[in-house]
Amino acid sequence: MSLPHAILTALLERPSSGLELTRRFDKSIGYFWSATHQQIYRELGRLEAEGLIRTLPSPQPARGQKKSYEVLPAGRAELARWTAAAQDPKPLRDSLLLRLRAAAVVGTAGLEDDLRRHLELHRRQLAEYREIEKRDFPPDRDAPQDRIRHLVLRAGIDLETFWTKWLADALTDLTGPAGLGELTDDVPAPAEPPEN
């Protein structure tokens, strides 16, 4: 996914100013595709220069008034093209998993606390997603667009459910009888490469 397509999606849902887009990113799209205020404004300029969006006419000209944007037909066509295109899944790159792998070699000092911190962050995110689900997707809200939005939210719920379970299991495994204590106290030396 790319930022231009995230912005086109948000603007097709509702024409907005850059500030409104930033707030909407923080509350929805930002859960799976984050962007800073500056990145959004830069991309709005590019999309406008490419003829994919336009600034809405202001009811009264005023210096410093925020500009609102809407998607042009070329922008809708680009978003439809991108939506229909095949894309391969991206490999998972997570520094926590890499740090765990490294801990098997260099020791686990500080790792247990960070795993607990990650677990708490994922639990909070899961609770927030469940609140959004309860608020925004009651059983009678069943339009096709709502079902698709709910699918995206459920992906977030499932992912956070996975991480909370995995982190809890990891803490149990690492702090058990053969867990963190032994690795921390006596880290084995790395194996020598075999001679040819």
Side-chain angles (χ1 to χ4, degrees), residues 91-119:
L92 176 65
R93 291 177 54 167
D94 190 290
S95 63
L96 178 62
L97 298 177
L98 182 57
R99 288 171 51 224
L100 275 170
R101 180 71 183 252
V105 178
V106 299
T108 59
L111 195 56
E112 182 180 345
D113 288 343
D114 201 41
L115 287 171
R116 290 187 192 290
R117 187 179 68 82
H118 276 253
L119 178 57

Side-chain angles (χ1 to χ4, degrees), residues 10-134:
L11 289 176
L12 277 169
E13 289 174 341
R14 185 173 70 239
S16 303
S17 69
L19 181 59
E20 291 164 340
L21 274 176
T22 301
R23 288 179 181 148
R24 288 171 60 204
F25 263 71
D26 288 345
K27 292 181 181 176
S28 62
I29 291 174
Y31 288 126
F32 53 89
W33 191 262
S34 61
T36 66
H37 187 77
Q38 293 84 0
Q39 289 171 319
I40 289 171
Y41 273 94
R42 270 196 308 270
E43 202 56 56
L44 285 169
R46 281 193 207 110
L47 290 169
E48 191 170 27
E50 292 172 11
L52 301 179
I53 65 172
R54 74 175 180 124
T55 304
L56 287 169
S58 176
Q60 338 168 329
R63 184 170 160 77
Q65 185 173 350
K66 63 183 178 182
K67 295 194 276 186
S68 287
Y69 299 88
E70 71 176 355
V71 177
L72 294 169
R76 179 180 282 276
E78 167 53 23
L79 189 59
R81 181 211 59 78
W82 178 79
T83 301
Q87 292 186 352
D88 292 335
K90 299 287 184 217
L92 176 65
R93 291 177 54 167
D94 190 290
S95 63
L96 178 62
L97 298 177
L98 182 57
R99 288 171 51 224
L100 275 170
R101 180 71 183 252
V105 178
V106 299
T108 59
L111 195 56
E112 182 180 345
D113 288 343
D114 201 41
L115 287 171
R116 290 187 192 290
R117 187 179 68 82
H118 276 253
L119 178 57
E120 181 55 32
L121 291 170
H122 284 288
R123 282 180 174 157
R124 277 192 235 148
Q125 189 65 69
L126 179 57
E128 187 173 344
Y129 284 165
R130 287 185 171 148
E131 280 300 311
I132 292 169
E133 184 178 41
K134 192 186 325 180

